[in-house]
Amino acid sequence: MFRSFVASIALLLLAACGGGGGGSGVRAGFLTADARGLTSNGASGAEAPGAGAATAADGIERAIEEADLYRLNGDRLYLVNSWRGFVVVDLAAPALLGRLAMTGIPQEMFLKGAHAYVLLSTFDGGTQVLDVSVATPATPSLVATFSLAGTYRTSRLVGDVLYVLTDSALSSFTAAGDLAAVSTLPIPGGAWFAHATDAFFFVAASDGFGDTRVTLVDISNLAGSMSLRGSMTFPGYLSDEFKLHFGAGMLRVVTHDWVDGGLSRLFLVDVSSPDTPITRGTLDLARGEQLFATRFTEEAAFLVTFERVDPLWVVDLRDPDAPVVSGFLTVPGWSTHLVALPGRLVALGLDPSDWHATASLYDVSDPTLPTMSSRVDFGAGWSSAFYDVKGFGVFEPEGLVLIPFSGETNELAVLSLTPTTLALRGSIAAEGTVVRGFPHARGLCTISTEEVVVANPTTLAPTGRVTVAQNVPDVLRLPDGTIVEAIRRSAGCRVGGVDLPIGFASMVPFGTSVAVTGWDGAGQAVYVIDFSTAPATVSARLDAGQSSYAYGNDGRDALAPNGIGIWGGFGASASVLSSDGRLAVHAAPAGVPGLSVGTGDVTDGFVVIDIGGARVETTVAIRGGYSTGFVADGADLVFTYGSFAGDDRAGRPLMLHDLVRVHLAAHTMAPVLNVPGYVVAADAGIVYTIEETWGSGWAFESHVVASDVTGSTALALDRLPLPPGSYDTRAAGHTLYVTTYGAFATGGIGSGPTVGSGGGGSPSPGGVPNSASAEIATIRLSASLSFGPSIVYDTDFASLLLPEDGGALVVRNGVTVDRWDVSGPVASLAWSSDAGTWPESARSDTLPGTYLLALGYGGWVNAP
């Protein structure tokens, strides 16, 4: 008898609202119906919603659709990409057909007629609903934007009404064409998870005291108006939306809390009187266990817990007053998600004994004796479907289970599904993290964060790839106008269309060649690409040494005997280019004899690459110390290295900083000189360093020092104090930029206008603290140091992007690039440009006043 109801579980569960993961298993619409749910015709004076909840499926009013990352219309794939916005792909070609950029993080979407409704999270924590016209798929256009308060939680398209839930309110929109707002209803106690029927939104949230409140929102009105009905509070918390479900006339709620070492509770709630819901039946189970996957059918619940034992529980729900455990199965590990099929469960999970991802098929045709039919072990790795369960694709008609998996590579695992077996057929590799897979007339389709792959359904060999987004950390223009993009890939990188077997770190142009630095299994490497030929020619691997303690070190170095201390190499580049095309790469050299300073073992140094000759030319080994700063001065490499010099009388460490000038072409060094701190700029006979001296206790004071180094000893010509907390000291030409935060923005170290509410500043240090967020001060470098104007942001977060002599690019609030002119007595804002995302790098372009901004997964843009 109970066996018969389990065997009759309908396929509609593949997309059951609030029941999830089958959402990706129904193609081209993800439609479900409220087959036995709360029904209402929405007419005035009609029977109250829920009154016929226990009747058969003869009162279906409106279809219910969940949002997802993609929708299909024939050969057209519409999808939202967290990096590049709204994208249209032609699967027949396959090719990128259209794109619409968006500011924010697109979460999900619906497709209805000639409109796509996109749910987007804004960078300030809000939610937006975007109405996008796809009447012309090649040029999707924004019709309207609706801003909602609060973090996006979930949404449903119920008939012609779109409902969007944030953490504070439920909003409704008519969606029969152009989107139109209807109303917004605040949810008492907020919202975490929700389950929807065609008449109700059941909204759950923790009350902050270990209990969960479930609120009933009446959505039965066909025009979109809503009203609050009753609510109930349950002990424990909900960990996901699958713990909330309506079926067979009952609201089902599963909570978990940590009493008794972990306790899961099931509640069956009668909501036929929605203003006064009543708990009918309860069941405590799995004491001492943690609750994981949950799945409901009309007459059963399946739960997976894990702690001391690892059972799959089968609960008979047919008697709403007395739910009872009918059977359980001890299984290894736990399941993060379950999809129900007639008499079977397909599970995605993890085995903590070796942290392998797994997929399992369970036979539950006999609820008193569930068994495991098959288990697939994917090996060490993880799946994006662990937290985004709509990525767990179960396609029973095609006999397929498609699961994103990330191990040594990113791929879509393809499994064959029969009534009794689940077996791995193979996989489809993709760049980026795989998030969805689905069968289509054109083949098996894989969606990742970076591309769409179409593969032969039999051989799984890719038949087409469409790039949707790619990680661009740098971009430059060659003298002939050719744009060279650097693209990070899952294995190696691609620069100017050339694939290289290293993880990208930087690229440096010289003439028609580009030196690319990065890392592989053997250490740091450089490849030189010559773009003067077609196709471009690539050098052999050039060994650029190994990492050292000081590589990228931003830790505090100690003080020299004369009381001078520094922050070692903070903000320093990993390499510098001389005027004659020699690239000095910071690393401990090995294998190529060259110059050497200090005594003892090689602990740090430089590898010098002749870009024109595409060869390692020489090395500079530092023994018994570490580079604390390095710059190029014409054809020379100038660096400081520090070595421990004991402790002062207070037990505070001291460091000796020595300056080395290397004539790269001649492979010679000038005499080593002790200097005050680490070098940040050099101009022939004058070097500019940052020194730090111990103050009271372990506090320290920073100064910029100009020193004459033409003699046998360094002579300090001038010094300027910096405020505490100064960092990111970067020089360009004769302008040194110093960033501080908070206390010294107005009345601080520079003078100039502010962005926000503040005014100008004092031209001397030590000003009175104010409310400013950031100040980027300038110092004019010469034998006599002087403060230039400051760029001050009173209320915005800001950081230096690109320093130039007399001007700079600054990133404000992560997405806006400001160009400042600091050549005069006051800093002036030349222009602002919204980049849409945080730029990873910037370069001056060949057109005066313009720049190339690399935006990572946002691609690259010209600015302004």
Side-chain angles (χ1 to χ4, degrees):
M1 292 173 48
F2 184 61
R3 181 184 308 180
S4 66
F5 90 77
V6 176
S8 65
I9 297 170
L11 291 181
L12 62 88
L13 288 167
L14 285 174
C17 59
S24 65
V26 178
R27 293 165 290 164
F30 302 83
L31 296 176
T32 65
D34 186 21
R36 293 178 175 83
L38 301 174
T39 60
S40 169
N41 60 15
S44 176
E47 184 180 34
T55 64
D58 57 358
I60 299 174
E61 294 292 335
R62 296 181 289 172
I64 304 167
E65 182 182 350
E66 293 190 44
D68 203 351
L69 298 177
Y70 75 97
R71 285 293 186 265
L72 285 163
N73 183 4
D75 283 332
R76 287 179 186 149
L77 170 66
Y78 300 86
L79 64 95
V80 289
N81 179 272
S82 57
W83 305 111
R84 300 303 302 274
F86 183 76
V87 178
V88 185
V89 174
D90 181 2
L91 295 177
L96 182 67
L97 187 60
R99 188 194 300 276
L100 178 64
M102 297 175 175
T103 300
I105 304 174
Q107 299 290 337
E108 298 181 303
M109 63 163 290
F110 297 93
L111 183 67
K112 190 173 176 65
H115 291 262
Y117 307 129
V118 178
L119 293 312
L120 179 144
S121 295
T122 60
F123 292 127
D124 60 1
T127 300
Q128 287 185 340
V129 184
L130 279 59
D131 183 359
V132 177
S133 172
V134 293
T136 306
T139 56
S141 59
L142 184 62
V143 176
T145 300
F146 302 87
S147 296
L148 307 177
T151 302
Y152 174 71
R153 293 302 194 204
T154 191
S155 59
R156 298 291 189 277
L157 188 58
V158 184
D160 289 331
V161 181
L162 172 63
Y163 298 92
V164 180
L165 182 69
T166 69
D167 61 5
S168 59
L170 181 64
S171 299
S172 61
F173 304 82
T174 57
D178 288 357
L179 210 59
V182 178
S183 64
T184 294
L185 184 68
I187 304 298
W192 284 16
F193 306 109
H195 177 84
T197 73
D198 69 341
F200 273 97
F201 247 79
F202 299 101
V203 182
S206 170
D207 64 0
F209 299 98
D211 295 333
T212 294
R213 172 176 175 153
V214 177
T215 301
L216 282 66
V217 181
D218 187 341
I219 62 167
S220 60
N221 183 275
L222 300 182
S225 63
M226 304 173 292
S227 61
L228 290 174
R229 304 299 289 267
S231 66
M232 295 191 73
T233 299
F234 304 93
Y237 65 91
L238 267 68
S239 55
D240 58 56
E241 67 268 32
F242 307 111
K243 308 299 188 286
L244 193 66
H245 182 266
F246 182 86
M250 291 290 144
L251 174 66
R252 294 89 172 265
V253 181
V254 177
T255 67
H256 181 267
D257 61 33
W258 293 108
V259 299
D260 297 333
L263 174 63
S264 300
R265 298 184 176 101
L266 169 67
F267 302 89
L268 301 182
V269 182
D270 186 344
V271 294
S272 58
S273 297
D275 292 322
T276 55
I278 300 172
T279 299
R280 290 275 297 274
T282 65
L283 178 66
D284 291 357
L285 73 160
R287 291 181 184 273
E289 302 282 326
Q290 185 175 352
L291 180 63
F292 285 90
T294 302
R295 188 66 195 228
F296 288 99
T297 67
E298 285 297 292
E299 299 172 312
F302 303 94
L303 300 92
V304 174
T305 60
F306 174 82
E307 188 66 32
R308 291 191 296 268
V309 294
D310 320 323
L312 165 68
W313 304 86
V314 182
V315 181
D316 185 347
L317 303 178
R318 289 178 298 168
D319 184 350
D321 296 308
V324 61
V325 174
S326 61
F328 70 91
L329 172 68
T330 299
V331 295
W334 65 80
S335 297
T336 61
H337 189 55
L338 302 170
V339 171
L341 301 174
R344 294 168 292 162
L345 295 174
V346 185
L348 175 66
L350 192 68
D351 188 341
S353 64
D354 51 15
W355 298 108
H356 284 197
T358 62
S360 304
L361 178 67
Y362 297 104
D363 182 350
V364 291
S365 58
D366 182 351
T368 66
L369 192 63
T371 60
M372 179 187 292
S373 302
S374 299
R375 188 175 185 87
V376 176
D377 188 326
F378 298 108
W382 69 285
S383 172
S384 63
F386 284 159
Y387 61 87
D388 181 8
V389 295
K390 291 179 183 178
F392 181 33
V394 178
F395 303 87
E396 188 190 23
E398 293 85 356
L400 289 172
V401 175
L402 304 177
I403 302 175
F405 180 72
S406 295
E408 294 183 359
T409 61
N410 295 316
E411 57 195 39
L412 180 72
V414 180
L415 288 75
S416 296
L417 174 67
T418 73
T420 58
T421 62
L422 184 66
L424 180 64
R425 284 181 47 199
S427 63
I428 302 169
E431 287 295 324
T433 301
V434 176
V435 292
R436 295 292 186 273
F438 59 91
H440 186 269
R442 300 292 180 178
L444 293 182
C445 298
T446 300
I447 301 175
S448 78
T449 54
E450 298 187 25
E451 65 180 358
V452 174
V453 182
V454 181
N456 183 289
T458 302
T459 66
L460 305 186
T463 58
R465 294 181 181 272
V466 179
T467 298
V468 174
Q470 49 192 2
N471 188 350
V472 182
D474 201 357
V475 59
L476 57 85
R477 191 187 302 272
L478 295 175
D480 65 357
T482 301
I483 290 290
V484 176
E485 287 180 301
I487 300 171
R488 288 196 176 104
R489 297 171 63 82
S490 57
C493 64
R494 176 175 294 168
V495 176
V498 177
D499 289 327
L500 299 175
I502 53 174
F504 179 85
S506 68
M507 62 177 181
V508 180
F510 184 74
T512 61
S513 296
V514 175
V516 182
T517 67
W519 294 86
D520 58 21
Q524 192 169 208
V526 175
Y527 288 87
V528 177
I529 307 174
D530 185 355
F531 289 98
S532 65
T533 63
T537 57
V538 184
S539 73
R541 181 188 187 277
L542 306 178
D543 191 336
Q546 302 293 319
S547 63
S548 65
Y549 171 82
Y551 187 85
N553 175 41
D554 58 1
R556 184 176 305 169
D557 292 336
L559 297 176
N562 60 359
I564 297 169
I566 63 99
W567 282 89
F570 189 96
S573 170
S575 62
V576 291
L577 180 67
S578 70
S579 59
D580 57 357
R582 289 174 169 84
L583 183 70
V585 182
H586 183 201
V592 177
L595 305 173
S596 180
V597 295
T599 59
D601 295 334
V602 176
T603 50
D604 200 1
F606 302 89
V607 175
V608 180
I609 307 292
D610 175 11
I611 295 179
R615 63 189 179 96
V616 175
E617 188 171 59
T618 189
T619 61
V620 181
I622 299 174
R623 301 177 181 274
Y626 300 95
S627 170
T628 55
F630 54 96
V631 298
D633 182 18
D636 295 346
L637 167 67
V638 178
F639 68 91
T640 47
Y641 73 98
S643 54
F644 181 61
D647 296 333
D648 67 5
R649 293 181 179 179
R652 298 172 298 190
L654 304 173
M655 177 173 277
L656 183 73
H657 292 274
D658 289 320
L659 179 80
V660 179
R661 178 178 289 272
V662 180
H663 308 297
L664 294 176
H667 300 180
T668 61
M669 292 192 307
V672 175
L673 299 177
N674 175 230
V675 292
Y678 68 92
V679 64
V680 292
D683 183 12
I686 299 178
V687 297
Y688 305 92
T689 57
I690 303 294
E691 68 171 358
E692 288 173 353
T693 57
W694 288 121
S696 174
W698 287 81
F700 57 90
E701 299 173 353
S702 301
H703 295 77
V704 181
V705 183
S707 299
D708 184 340
V709 292
T710 57
S712 59
T713 59
L715 175 64
L717 303 175
D718 198 6
R719 64 168 36 88
L720 286 176
L722 300 177
S726 297
Y727 74 102
D728 195 9
T729 51
R730 283 186 278 168
H734 290 87
T735 305
L736 177 67
Y737 295 85
V738 181
T739 302
T740 63
Y741 271 88
F744 292 88
T746 298
I749 62 176
S751 61
T754 64
V755 173
S757 59
S762 165
S764 62
V768 178
N770 77 343
S771 62
S773 293
E775 176 179 2
I776 301 173
T778 64
I779 296 174
R780 304 194 193 284
L781 300 178
S782 67
S784 177
L785 301 171
S786 62
F787 288 100
S790 282
I791 304 165
V792 180
Y793 291 85
D794 274 358
T795 58
D796 298 319
F797 173 80
S799 60
L800 181 65
L801 176 62
L802 177 67
E804 296 183 304
D805 196 2
L809 297 186
V810 177
V811 180
R812 172 165 48 92
N813 293 334
V815 295
T816 302
V817 176
D818 295 335
R819 163 65 185 181
W820 288 90
D821 184 344
V822 294
S823 60
V826 176
S828 61
L829 182 64
W831 49 261
S832 293
S833 178
D834 185 358
T837 188
W838 193 300
E840 290 203 19
S841 64
R843 294 177 182 270
S844 179
D845 203 357
T846 54
L847 182 65
T850 65
Y851 297 85
L852 297 172
L853 307 181
L855 306 178
Y857 279 103
W860 64 272
V861 295
N862 276 108

